[in-house]
Each structure stands twice: as C-alpha cells, then as structure tokens.
Amino acid sequence: MQNILTKLNTRFETLKKADRGNFAIMTSIAAPVVILLALGTVDYGQAVQMDQKLQSDAQAAVLAAVNETQMAYNAEEDVDYAEVAKAAATRVFLARTGLEEKDFATLDITPKVQSNVFSVQVDYRLKVPSVLSGVGSLDYHMISNTARAKASASSYINVNLMFDVSGSMGIGSTPTDQANLAAITNCAFACHTGSSRGNSSYDRARAAGVNMRIDTARDAALNAIKKIKDDLELEDQVSFGLYKFSNETTEILNPFDAKSADLDHVKSLVTSEVQMDIEGTGTNVEVAMDHIASIVSKSGSGRTAEDRVQYVVVLTDGVENSQSWYPGKGWKPHPNAKPNAPSMTHAPHEINYAPSTRPCTVLKERGIQIYFINTEYIVPTTGNISSHNVRRFGFIEDTLHDLVEDRMEQCTGSLDNVIKTNTPQEIATAFETILGEVTTPLRLY
C-alpha cells in the first residue's frame, strides 16, 4: 500500500508542475489517494475496536475462571483446580468472542495453582482481514494481547517473616542517611559491635534520626501487616511466625503460638524486636532456613486455622559472612558458617559467599512457598573504608550480586518470587506485594 501511495503522490506532483495540467486531471489523480487514506483510517479504527473487544473478552474470561476455581476450592470439590480454571477461561473467552479456537493464530490459556492462590493467563493472536485486502501487501492485521487474573481463596495462612539483622543491614537507607551515619560513627556500617543495647553506634545513629536499612524493613513490614489486618475476611485468618538472624537465628514469635494471629501483638513484636544485631553481625541465611524447617513440617490445606497454608518470606541482601564478634575475644569464625564456592577469604575469620539452596529443597518438598526480598548489598561510598574492604566490596559487586539472585531464584523455584529492592520505597512495595499476594482478592494484574 505504501508503494502505491508513493507512486500516486509522485504522479500528482508531476501534474502540478505541467503547464497543461488542469484541475480535473489533478482531481482524478488525487481522488484515489483520498479514498485510500479514508479506507486506511476506517481499517485502522476497526482493528482498534476489535483489539479492545478481544481484550475485554479476555479479561472477563480470566476473572470468571479464577472465580469459578475459588468456588470449587471453597466447596472442597475433589477436582483438578488447574483444569477447572483452564476449562472455564476457554469456555467464557470463546463464548464472548463468538469464535472457535481454530480461528486464532494462537490461543494459549495457562492456569497456575499454588496452594490457595489461583491465577489464569490468556494469550492470543488473531488475524483480522483488512478492508484494503488486495491493495499492496496489507491483507490482514495481527492482533495480540494478554490478560491475567488471580485471587487467593479465603484460606487460613501462616506467614513466616525472617529479617536479616546482620551488620550490612545497618547501612543508611538513603545516601543522606549514609552520610549522616558516617558523620556519627566514622563507619559506613557494621561497626555497631562491642557495645550494649542503647549505647551502640546503631542506637546512637537511630537517636540522631538516621534511618538504616533494617529500620526501613521493619517499617515496611508493619505497614503491610496493618493492611492485611484491615482486609481480613475471616477471624484469625492470617498468623505470623517472626524471626531475625545474623550468625544465628532468634525466634521472636512461634507460628503456633496462641497470639500468632493477633496482628496487633505481631506488630508490637516487630516494632520492639526487629533491630540490628550488635553482637554477632555475620550472616547465615542457611541456618535461618534450617530453623524454619525444624518448626514447620508441611503446608496445610488452609481450610482450618489448625491446617494453615505456609509461606516463608526472607528479607536479606544474601551476602553470607562467616565472622562473628565475641566480647573480649574480638572477631572469630562462627561455627555455624558453611562457606560454599565461589567464596573469598578476607581474613582468617571472614569469608564471603552466596547462600546455599539446600534448605530450600526441604521446604519446597513440604509444599511451603518461599519468597525473597533481595535488599541488594549496598557498597558504601562514605565513612572509613579500608583497602581490605575495597577488595571485599569488589568481590561482592563483581561476583556475588548476580549469584545471590540466581541462588534465590533456585531456592524459590521462580524469579517471580524474588523481588530486588534498593530504595526505601522499593522495600515497602515488596512487602505489600508479597503479603498482598497471599491474601489478594480477585483482580486483574
């Protein structure tokens, strides 16, 4: 079509310049151009209308499919919920479009069932005949789009929240916080050891208004828990297990505690207990995951408060560190550390490496879903940075950053379950996304 228009326009310009060209001739040549342009406008408008209708039909189909799957789940029907979702989406989409599956160039309907969370995705490509068919090479428009919906059934769930409180989580949340922290402590982070609670450089920095990464994480978790509390559909629907870890893991709230579903109590514990470790300050994600595995035997059906669906949400930068501070003895290797390759030894007591995926296999075999909030390790630019640390930071940036994300993906089984964050807003969004994911109402996404 473009070639035809080009040729007609060239002819039109030639006639305009000819001495004997006249208005009638010019009009006779220009008319086809105007007609073609008008037809093209109509053609494009019809394609847009068709695209909008198909997208509306697809959205209606995925919403109906997820809703039907929810109802089957709530009625405890002995069916394959993925097949229910796929059949419903196919039926509704074809009925609304008035087409058959063979009419589409491609039509893919993908259901996904994860415990009590159901989602359906419709992908389609359809050839729509052009009104300009036969003119040039434009015989059809290819319309393609995607629609997705998901929802969690009204189930009882337990969320095991795990907070990395090691030294690297003591870095300032923003460049301004990092500069203010360095002015108070002369350190970028991880120099909060060897003092009592209240007198440590971490506590002094907090008292001066410095917001560190662990503080951002704590506030983000509190906001997300509050939102869950406001949206609850069932009494005691969501319970929590709370843990913090550095070299070792401390259990703040057992998920089977009588008050684990009292969300005001949960928020109170998060407020008082989630703060940076001033004793160990090393990092051991592996031992933290082993701790969860020793408590939660399997994920339940979610149909009763005694048989909850189990989730594990880990907030960490994922850079393992074998060292630990011992009062009166200084820095020593921690006996729980299990370095794996690749690693870098910076001192007899200090080795950096990425987390092992071994404990994740155990959790996934029990049907427990795992999420990571990857608060990517920040390499500081303020404070006292020794040549030793420059070498360490180089290894973390060049080798561990990408490897940590890869290990997290292997651990969870899906990159969708790993959210990389850097800023306070990203950390807040990550908590809301994950906790909202497991308690979400029916919605498009």
Side-chain angles (χ1 to χ4, degrees), residues 60-92 109-121 149-155 303 442:
V62 293
L63 288 169
V66 172
N67 184 58
E68 189 168 322
T69 309
Q70 273 187 300
M71 290 191 294
Y73 177 89
N74 292 334
E76 300 187 29
E77 295 180 17
D78 185 17
V79 294
D80 184 326
Y81 297 119
E83 287 301 318
V84 170
K86 183 173 184 177
T90 304
R91 182 181 69 252
V92 174
I109 297 179
T110 309
K112 186 176 181 180
V113 177
Q114 286 187 311
S115 299
N116 66 320
V117 179
F118 313 114
S119 62
V120 181
Q121 178 170 316
K150 69 166 45 178
S152 61
S154 299
S155 305
R303 299 191 185 283
L442 177 62

Coordinates of all heavy atoms in Angstrom, one line a residue, residues 60-92 109-121 149-155 303 442:
A60 N -12.6 -10.6 31.0 CA -13.8 -11.2 31.6 C -13.6 -12.7 31.8 O -14.0 -13.3 32.8 CB -15.0 -11.0 30.7
A61 N -12.9 -13.4 30.8 CA -12.7 -14.8 30.9 C -11.8 -15.2 32.1 O -12.1 -16.2 32.8 CB -12.1 -15.3 29.6
V62 N -10.7 -14.5 32.3 CA -9.8 -14.8 33.3 C -10.4 -14.6 34.7 O -10.2 -15.3 35.6 CB -8.4 -14.1 33.2 CG1 -7.7 -14.6 32.0 CG2 -8.5 -12.6 33.2
L63 N -11.2 -13.5 34.8 CA -11.8 -13.2 36.1 C -12.9 -14.3 36.4 O -13.0 -14.8 37.5 CB -12.5 -11.8 36.0 CG -11.6 -10.6 36.1 CD1 -12.4 -9.3 35.7 CD2 -10.9 -10.5 37.4
A64 N -13.6 -14.7 35.4 CA -14.6 -15.7 35.6 C -14.0 -17.1 35.9 O -14.5 -17.8 36.8 CB -15.5 -15.9 34.3
A65 N -12.9 -17.4 35.3 CA -12.2 -18.6 35.5 C -11.6 -18.7 37.0 O -11.8 -19.7 37.6 CB -11.0 -18.8 34.5
V66 N -11.0 -17.6 37.4 CA -10.5 -17.6 38.8 C -11.6 -17.7 39.8 O -11.5 -18.4 40.8 CB -9.6 -16.4 39.0 CG1 -9.2 -16.3 40.5 CG2 -8.3 -16.4 38.1
N67 N -12.7 -17.0 39.5 CA -13.8 -17.0 40.4 C -14.4 -18.4 40.5 O -14.7 -18.9 41.6 CB -14.9 -16.0 40.0 CG -16.1 -15.9 40.9 OD1 -15.9 -15.6 42.1 ND2 -17.2 -16.2 40.4
E68 N -14.5 -19.1 39.4 CA -15.1 -20.4 39.4 C -14.2 -21.4 40.1 O -14.6 -22.3 40.8 CB -15.3 -20.9 37.9 CG -16.0 -22.2 37.8 CD -16.5 -22.5 36.4 OE1 -16.8 -21.6 35.7 OE2 -16.4 -23.7 36.0
T69 N -12.9 -21.2 40.0 CA -11.9 -22.1 40.7 C -12.0 -21.8 42.2 O -11.9 -22.8 43.0 CB -10.5 -21.8 40.2 OG1 -10.4 -21.8 38.8 CG2 -9.5 -22.8 40.8
Q70 N -12.1 -20.6 42.6 CA -12.3 -20.3 44.0 C -13.5 -21.0 44.6 O -13.4 -21.5 45.7 CB -12.5 -18.8 44.2 CG -11.2 -17.9 44.3 CD -11.5 -16.5 44.7 OE1 -12.2 -15.8 43.9 NE2 -11.1 -16.1 45.8
M71 N -14.6 -20.9 43.9 CA -15.8 -21.5 44.4 C -15.7 -23.0 44.5 O -16.1 -23.6 45.5 CB -17.0 -21.2 43.4 CG -17.4 -19.7 43.5 SD -19.0 -19.4 42.6 CE -18.5 -19.7 40.9
A72 N -15.0 -23.7 43.5 CA -14.7 -25.1 43.6 C -13.9 -25.4 44.8 O -14.1 -26.4 45.5 CB -14.1 -25.6 42.3
Y73 N -12.9 -24.6 45.1 CA -12.0 -24.8 46.2 C -12.8 -24.6 47.5 O -12.7 -25.5 48.4 CB -10.9 -23.8 46.2 CG -9.9 -23.8 47.3 CD1 -8.8 -24.7 47.3 CD2 -10.1 -23.1 48.5 CE1 -7.9 -24.8 48.4 CE2 -9.2 -23.1 49.6 CZ -8.2 -24.0 49.5 OH -7.3 -24.0 50.6
N74 N -13.6 -23.6 47.6 CA -14.3 -23.3 48.9 C -15.4 -24.4 49.1 O -15.7 -24.7 50.3 CB -15.0 -21.9 48.8 CG -14.0 -20.8 48.8 OD1 -12.9 -21.0 49.4 ND2 -14.3 -19.7 48.3
A75 N -15.9 -25.0 48.0 CA -16.8 -26.1 48.2 C -16.2 -27.4 48.4 O -16.8 -28.5 48.6 CB -17.7 -26.2 46.9
E76 N -14.8 -27.4 48.4 CA -14.0 -28.6 48.7 C -14.3 -29.7 47.7 O -14.3 -30.9 48.0 CB -14.2 -29.1 50.1 CG -13.8 -28.2 51.2 CD -13.9 -28.7 52.6 OE1 -13.7 -30.0 52.7 OE2 -14.1 -28.0 53.5
E77 N -14.5 -29.3 46.4 CA -14.7 -30.2 45.3 C -13.4 -31.0 45.0 O -12.4 -30.4 45.0 CB -15.2 -29.5 44.1 CG -16.6 -28.9 44.2 CD -17.0 -28.2 43.0 OE1 -16.5 -28.5 41.9 OE2 -17.9 -27.3 43.0
D78 N -13.6 -32.3 44.8 CA -12.4 -33.1 44.5 C -12.2 -33.1 43.0 O -12.5 -34.0 42.3 CB -12.7 -34.6 45.0 CG -11.5 -35.5 44.8 OD1 -10.4 -35.0 44.6 OD2 -11.7 -36.7 44.8
V79 N -11.5 -32.0 42.6 CA -11.3 -31.8 41.2 C -9.8 -31.3 41.0 O -9.2 -30.9 42.0 CB -12.3 -30.8 40.6 CG1 -13.7 -31.3 40.6 CG2 -12.2 -29.4 41.3
D80 N -9.4 -31.3 39.8 CA -8.1 -30.6 39.4 C -8.4 -29.1 39.2 O -9.0 -28.8 38.2 CB -7.5 -31.3 38.2 CG -6.1 -30.7 37.8 OD1 -5.9 -29.5 38.1 OD2 -5.3 -31.5 37.3
Y81 N -8.0 -28.3 40.2 CA -8.3 -26.9 40.1 C -7.7 -26.2 38.9 O -8.3 -25.3 38.3 CB -7.9 -26.2 41.4 CG -8.6 -26.7 42.6 CD1 -7.9 -27.3 43.7 CD2 -10.0 -26.6 42.7 CE1 -8.6 -27.8 44.8 CE2 -10.7 -27.1 43.8 CZ -10.0 -27.7 44.8 OH -10.6 -28.2 45.9
A82 N -6.5 -26.6 38.4 CA -5.9 -26.1 37.2 C -6.8 -26.3 36.0 O -7.0 -25.5 35.2 CB -4.5 -26.6 37.1
E83 N -7.3 -27.6 35.9 CA -8.2 -27.9 34.8 C -9.5 -27.1 34.9 O -10.1 -26.7 33.8 CB -8.5 -29.4 34.8 CG -7.3 -30.2 34.4 CD -6.8 -29.9 33.0 OE1 -7.6 -29.7 32.1 OE2 -5.6 -29.8 32.8
V84 N -10.0 -26.9 36.1 CA -11.3 -26.1 36.2 C -11.0 -24.7 35.7 O -11.8 -24.2 34.9 CB -11.7 -26.1 37.7 CG1 -12.8 -25.0 37.9 CG2 -12.2 -27.4 38.2
A85 N -9.9 -24.1 36.0 CA -9.6 -22.8 35.6 C -9.4 -22.7 34.1 O -9.9 -21.8 33.5 CB -8.3 -22.3 36.3
K86 N -8.7 -23.6 33.5 CA -8.4 -23.6 32.1 C -9.7 -23.8 31.3 O -10.0 -23.1 30.3 CB -7.4 -24.7 31.7 CG -7.1 -24.7 30.2 CD -5.9 -25.7 30.0 CE -5.5 -25.6 28.5 NZ -4.4 -26.5 28.2
A87 N -10.6 -24.7 31.7 CA -11.8 -25.0 31.0 C -12.7 -23.8 31.1 O -13.4 -23.4 30.1 CB -12.5 -26.2 31.6
A88 N -12.8 -23.2 32.3 CA -13.7 -22.0 32.4 C -13.2 -20.8 31.6 O -14.0 -20.2 30.9 CB -13.8 -21.6 33.9
A89 N -11.9 -20.6 31.6 CA -11.4 -19.5 30.8 C -11.6 -19.7 29.3 O -12.0 -18.8 28.6 CB -9.9 -19.3 31.1
T90 N -11.4 -20.9 28.8 CA -11.6 -21.2 27.4 C -13.1 -21.0 27.0 O -13.4 -20.4 26.0 CB -11.2 -22.7 27.1 OG1 -9.8 -22.9 27.5 CG2 -11.3 -23.0 25.7
R91 N -14.0 -21.6 27.9 CA -15.4 -21.5 27.6 C -15.9 -20.1 27.5 O -16.6 -19.7 26.5 CB -16.2 -22.3 28.7 CG -17.7 -22.3 28.5 CD -18.4 -23.1 29.6 NE -18.3 -22.4 30.8 CZ -17.6 -22.7 31.9 NH1 -16.8 -23.8 31.8 NH2 -17.6 -22.0 33.0
V92 N -15.5 -19.3 28.5 CA -16.0 -17.9 28.5 C -15.4 -17.0 27.4 O -16.1 -16.3 26.8 CB -15.7 -17.3 29.9 CG1 -16.1 -15.8 29.9 CG2 -16.5 -18.0 31.0
I109 N -4.0 -20.7 27.0 CA -4.6 -20.5 28.3 C -3.8 -21.2 29.4 O -3.8 -22.5 29.4 CB -6.1 -20.9 28.3 CG1 -6.8 -20.0 27.3 CG2 -6.7 -20.7 29.7 CD1 -8.3 -20.3 27.1
T110 N -3.2 -20.5 30.3 CA -2.3 -21.1 31.3 C -2.8 -20.8 32.7 O -2.8 -19.7 33.2 CB -0.9 -20.4 31.1 OG1 -0.5 -20.5 29.8 CG2 0.1 -21.2 32.0
P111 N -3.3 -21.9 33.4 CA -3.7 -21.8 34.8 C -2.5 -22.1 35.7 O -1.6 -22.8 35.3 CB -4.8 -22.9 34.9 CG -4.3 -23.9 34.0 CD -3.6 -23.2 32.8
K112 N -2.5 -21.5 36.9 CA -1.5 -21.8 37.9 C -2.1 -21.9 39.2 O -2.9 -21.0 39.6 CB -0.4 -20.7 37.9 CG 0.8 -21.0 38.7 CD 1.8 -19.8 38.6 CE 3.0 -20.1 39.4 NZ 4.0 -19.0 39.3
V113 N -1.8 -22.9 39.9 CA -2.4 -23.2 41.3 C -1.2 -23.3 42.3 O -0.4 -24.2 42.1 CB -3.3 -24.4 41.3 CG1 -3.8 -24.7 42.8 CG2 -4.4 -24.3 40.4
Q114 N -1.1 -22.4 43.2 CA -0.1 -22.5 44.3 C -0.9 -22.5 45.6 O -1.2 -21.4 46.1 CB 0.9 -21.4 44.2 CG 1.9 -21.5 43.1 CD 2.9 -20.4 43.1 OE1 2.7 -19.2 43.3 NE2 4.2 -20.8 43.0
S115 N -1.1 -23.7 46.2 CA -1.8 -23.8 47.4 C -3.2 -23.1 47.3 O -4.0 -23.6 46.5 CB -1.0 -23.2 48.6 OG 0.2 -23.9 48.8
N116 N -3.4 -22.0 48.0 CA -4.7 -21.3 47.9 C -4.7 -20.1 47.0 O -5.7 -19.4 47.0 CB -5.0 -20.8 49.3 CG -4.1 -19.7 49.8 OD1 -2.9 -19.8 49.6 ND2 -4.6 -18.7 50.5
V117 N -3.7 -20.0 46.1 CA -3.6 -18.9 45.2 C -3.8 -19.4 43.8 O -3.1 -20.3 43.3 CB -2.3 -18.1 45.3 CG1 -2.3 -16.9 44.3 CG2 -2.1 -17.5 46.7
F118 N -4.8 -18.8 43.1 CA -5.1 -19.3 41.7 C -4.9 -18.1 40.7 O -5.3 -17.0 41.0 CB -6.6 -19.8 41.6 CG -7.0 -20.7 42.8 CD1 -7.9 -20.3 43.7 CD2 -6.4 -21.9 42.9 CE1 -8.3 -21.1 44.7 CE2 -6.8 -22.8 43.9 CZ -7.7 -22.4 44.9
S119 N -4.4 -18.4 39.6 CA -4.2 -17.4 38.6 C -4.4 -18.1 37.2 O -4.2 -19.3 37.0 CB -2.8 -16.8 38.6 OG -1.8 -17.7 38.4
V120 N -4.9 -17.3 36.2 CA -5.1 -17.7 34.9 C -4.6 -16.6 33.9 O -4.8 -15.4 34.2 CB -6.6 -18.0 34.6 CG1 -6.7 -18.4 33.1 CG2 -7.2 -19.0 35.5
Q121 N -3.9 -17.1 32.9 CA -3.4 -16.1 31.9 C -3.9 -16.6 30.5 O -3.8 -17.8 30.2 CB -1.9 -16.1 31.9 CG -1.3 -15.2 30.8 CD 0.2 -15.0 31.0 OE1 0.7 -14.7 32.1 NE2 1.0 -15.0 29.9
A149 N -5.5 -12.8 35.6 CA -6.2 -12.5 36.9 C -5.8 -13.5 37.9 O -5.3 -14.6 37.6 CB -7.7 -12.6 36.6
K150 N -5.9 -13.1 39.2 CA -5.5 -14.0 40.2 C -6.3 -13.7 41.5 O -6.9 -12.6 41.6 CB -4.0 -14.0 40.6 CG -3.6 -12.7 41.2 CD -2.2 -12.8 41.8 CE -1.2 -13.5 40.9 NZ 0.2 -13.6 41.5
A151 N -6.3 -14.6 42.4 CA -7.0 -14.4 43.7 C -6.5 -15.5 44.6 O -6.1 -16.6 44.2 CB -8.5 -14.5 43.5
S152 N -6.6 -15.2 45.9 CA -6.4 -16.2 46.9 C -7.7 -16.6 47.5 O -8.6 -15.7 47.7 CB -5.4 -15.7 48.0 OG -6.0 -14.6 48.7
A153 N -7.9 -17.9 47.7 CA -9.2 -18.3 48.3 C -9.2 -17.8 49.8 O -8.1 -17.5 50.4 CB -9.3 -19.8 48.3
S154 N -10.4 -17.8 50.3 CA -10.5 -17.4 51.7 C -10.0 -18.5 52.6 O -10.7 -19.3 53.1 CB -12.0 -17.0 52.0 OG -12.4 -16.0 51.2
S155 N -8.6 -18.5 52.8 CA -8.0 -19.6 53.5 C -7.3 -19.1 54.7 O -6.9 -17.9 54.8 CB -7.0 -20.3 52.5 OG -7.6 -20.7 51.3
R303 N -7.9 -24.8 55.0 CA -9.3 -24.9 55.3 C -9.7 -24.6 56.7 O -10.8 -24.3 57.0 CB -9.9 -26.2 54.8 CG -9.7 -26.4 53.3 CD -10.5 -27.6 52.8 NE -10.2 -27.9 51.4 CZ -10.7 -27.2 50.4 NH1 -11.5 -26.1 50.6 NH2 -10.3 -27.5 49.1
L442 N -9.9 -11.1 44.3 CA -9.9 -11.4 42.8 C -9.6 -10.1 42.1 O -10.2 -9.0 42.3 CB -11.3 -11.9 42.4 CG -11.5 -12.1 40.9 CD1 -10.6 -13.2 40.4 CD2 -13.0 -12.5 40.7

